[in-house]
Amino acid sequence: MIESRCGISCSQCHYKEEFNCKGCLAINKPFWDDSCPIKDCCEEKKHSHCGECTNFPCTLLIGFSYDKDQGDNGLRIENCRCWKQNCK
């Protein structure tokens, strides 16, 4: 099941409860800023998530995924890859 545009597993994210975050699929504006560049990019291209893009994984997604403070060492990239292939 697709949980986000970038591949974050919202069901396992501590921000879900801490900030009452509904996830980028259900909100217009993220709690942390005026916008999210990954969410904006996916929605502009009419993609459900980054894995549907011909430029996947792009430098923007890679940067988010391997960010030293908020990254997940590529897990979100693998989630998008799996969502595209309908993995379980």
Side-chain angles (χ1 to χ4, degrees):
M1 178 183 132
I2 297 167
E3 294 188 46
S4 65
R5 304 287 184 219
C6 70
I8 285 178
S9 295
C10 294
S11 60
Q12 298 174 12
C13 182
H14 66 87
Y15 292 122
K16 183 176 182 175
E17 290 190 23
E18 185 178 340
F19 291 98
N20 195 30
C21 181
K22 305 279 188 252
C24 66
L25 300 177
I27 61 172
N28 291 323
K29 179 181 167 189
F31 66 87
W32 65 88
D33 205 349
D34 287 333
S35 67
C36 171
I38 292 180
K39 174 180 169 47
D40 294 345
C41 182
C42 277
E43 291 175 357
E44 286 171 14
K45 293 177 179 180
K46 308 274 191 256
H47 294 316
S48 297
H49 59 84
C50 291
E52 296 177 343
C53 187
T54 57
N55 195 28
F56 172 78
C58 69
T59 55
L60 180 62
L61 180 61
I62 291 168
F64 270 69
S65 191
Y66 290 97
D67 178 80
K68 71 177 184 118
D69 295 322
Q70 298 294 320
D72 56 14
N73 293 315
L75 179 60
R76 71 186 74 193
I77 293 171
E78 292 309 310
N79 285 341
C80 285
R81 188 170 283 125
C82 189
W83 293 341
K84 182 177 180 172
Q85 297 170 356
N86 295 312
C87 301
K88 296 214 180 217

